[in-house]
Amino acid sequence: MSFILHGIGVSEGIAIGHAHLAAPAALEVAHYLIPKDQIEQEISRLNSAFSTVRKELETLQASITSGPAIDEFSAFLDLHHMILDDPMLSDAANKCIAQSYCNAEWAITQQMDVLLAQFEEIDDAYLRERKIDVIQVVERVLKALLGHPGYVPPPVKHAGDRILVTQDLSPADVMQYKQHQFSAFLTDAGSSTSHTAIVARSLNIPSIVALHHARHLIFENDYLIVDGSQNVVIVNPDKYVLSEYRLRKTQQELEKRKLKRIKSVATMTLDKTPIELYANIELPEDVEQVKESGAAGVGLFRSEFLFLNRDVLPDENEQFEAYREVAVNMRGLPVTIRTFDLGADKSLKGHKQISDNPALGLRAIRLCLAEPQLFHTQLRAILRASHFGQIRILIPMLSNASEIDQTLHLIEYAKQSLRDEKVAFNEKILVGGMVEIPAAALCVDMFIRKLDFLSIGTNDLIQYTLAIDRVDDTVAHLYDPLHPAVMWLVVRIIQAANRAKMPVSICGEMAGDIQFTRLLLGMGLQQFSMYPAQLLTVKHQILQSHLPDIIPLTNKIIKADTPEKIYGLLMKLNK
Ligand code: PEP
Ligand code: MG
């Protein structure tokens, strides 16, 4: 039977292929019977999975040698050790295999259910919540049993024409899927500016999120058409729809190929105003795509992705090599390294989220200032790499003067430590700040006085201005880049920076969306940073834009106060 599902398209393009369903959690396990003569073997399989996890926890413990949260983190690892060693889990699961002849995965999840039921009976809310630790330990054992890290599905033969269908993906999961080369991602949860969507977009494959029931309505191997531009998935299409989409897909690929012709054309508007287009990256290997796009440099290197999916965090040398690789490969073009923006939806492996509102919690620069040793390691690595190219430092989530002062002080401290060791670095390295909290936007003049450049993070600026959680699909319809309050803030940041002759860019998703290109040009923006696959499309729009025509219409849009007026004027602007 053919049917259509609607969601939010987060990465454009058409993919056609077979569905591959990934379990939403490792806890969805198979149940099968073990022949009597293999029971011993099954028990020892489970025991060796326990040993693997024990070793993983020990390695993790050994990697945490400093930092203010060391005690808390150690206590959390001790608790996991205790759960792992508890006979209620291991012995009972072994008994279950011996008595019921069931597979190890099934035995351990059955025993977990018994323990969780006991936790439910506990009165103390804090202790009751420790059931999450039991789940995490069992997940680790399951991963060890299945022989793979994270929720990566078993390798499929022709991943290239496979479409991944899953409940949800964390940014870390998406990074792991990178090597599997699926031709599209479909998730039941998610929203368009979640980090998951951003990473999917950077992979340059069609993706649709917020499908709600895809995981239950689509079966393994169903034939699918994914249209990321029209937000639809067509399940088991008939032959007419299929041939229509094959044609559209070929046409889109042709258009993309044609765009390559403008790669080396200078980026300027029709009235000859030069514009700079930069690329956003997550990992050093993304530089290949950046070069293909003809970008003027890297406008945002989300360095926190180096820290995800890791049992042991990257040390100074490993980080240095990664930053140097990017700087060298970009051959002297600017590379803007954002110091790690961990927290919220990008947490370190094994770190429990203790805040009810992680997006408002210990994230990005707040975490760096709370963990100065981690920050110092990264700053030294970036500074060392600055000797090999044109590296700039970008600080995320700044909200007040004291955070800027502390950050600049720590950068100076890292510089001094290198000077003492006679290690070369760029003394004049530029330090910029992300303007992504309304407080920063409202006090932008203070940011301009203290920093060398600004980058507007519209993804978070919109989230915090409109009080919309960017990862919550139930409020995704309220996430509006054209809300007058958002436009008011963006235009004032750009104008203040332009008045002070301070470089300002936008590195949020708005910069790569061509429906906003002319609006942003009209506001005075001259630097855009976006995912590389979108760069030539934005460039094409810029080459066909004439600022003297755009500015009066932009001024009208900024002053308009109803969505009807705003969208009507925007259509006129983009004609
Ligand atoms: C932003 O907030 O716009 C931004 C670029 O940073 P991130 O999406 O990584 O939070
Ligand atoms: Mg941000």
Side-chain angles (χ1 to χ4, degrees), residues 311-379:
D311 289 324
V312 181
L313 298 184
D315 62 12
E316 181 184 313
N317 267 338
E318 186 182 337
Q319 288 187 57
F320 161 68
E321 289 299 345
Y323 306 143
R324 188 179 62 152
E325 185 184 333
V326 177
V328 169
N329 282 342
M330 287 304 295
R331 294 166 198 262
L333 292 175
V335 173
T336 313
I337 302 180
R338 177 174 74 183
T339 55
F340 61 80
D341 181 356
L342 289 163
D345 57 338
K346 289 174 293 190
S347 30
L348 294 176
K349 203 169 168 189
H351 255 266
K352 58 187 166 169
Q353 197 65 259
I354 43 171
S355 165
D356 282 343
N357 285 310
L360 303 181
L362 199 61
R363 180 188 158 188
I365 191 62
R366 301 168 182 184
L367 181 65
C368 292
L369 297 178
E371 302 273 355
Q373 192 52 48
L374 264 183
F375 194 35
H376 183 66
T377 303
Q378 179 172 44
L379 290 174

Side-chain angles (χ1 to χ4, degrees), residues 193-195 198 280 300 302 304-305 338 341 345-346 363 396-397 434-436 455-464 470 479 506-510:
T193 54
S194 63
H195 284 102
I198 290 169
N280 294 351
L300 174 67
R302 289 183 164 98
E304 61 275 11
F305 281 87
R338 177 174 74 183
D341 181 356
D345 57 338
K346 289 174 293 190
R363 180 188 158 188
M397 289 277 293
M434 291 197 65
V435 185
E436 49 185 350
S455 191
I456 309 175
T458 45
N459 304 337
D460 278 316
L461 187 61
I462 298 168
Q463 142 162 284
Y464 296 127
R470 63 193 263 199
Y479 189 96
I506 288 187
C507 61
E509 296 306 287
M510 266 183 101

Side-chain angles (χ1 to χ4, degrees), residues 166-168 186-190 209-216 473:
T166 184
Q167 213 285 323
D168 197 8
L186 301 178
T187 67
D188 281 344
V209 301
L211 284 158
H212 299 292
H213 305 295
R215 179 88 188 22
H216 291 112
D473 64 305

Side-chain angles (χ1 to χ4, degrees), residues 34 96 98 105 128 208 319 472 484 569 575:
I34 304 291
C96 178
E105 292 86 350
R128 202 167 50 241
I208 301 182
Q319 288 187 57
D472 183 349
L569 287 165
K575 252 212 304 236

Side-chain angles (χ1 to χ4, degrees), residues 15-21 156-165 180-185 205 220-222:
I16 301 173
H18 289 96
H20 176 66
L21 270 57
V156 285
K157 271 192 201 122
H158 304 291
D161 70 348
R162 291 266 158 176
I163 292 166
L164 185 76
V165 184
H180 284 259
Q181 295 177 339
F182 287 98
S183 63
F185 285 141
I205 57 170
E220 182 75 18
N221 271 329
D222 271 351

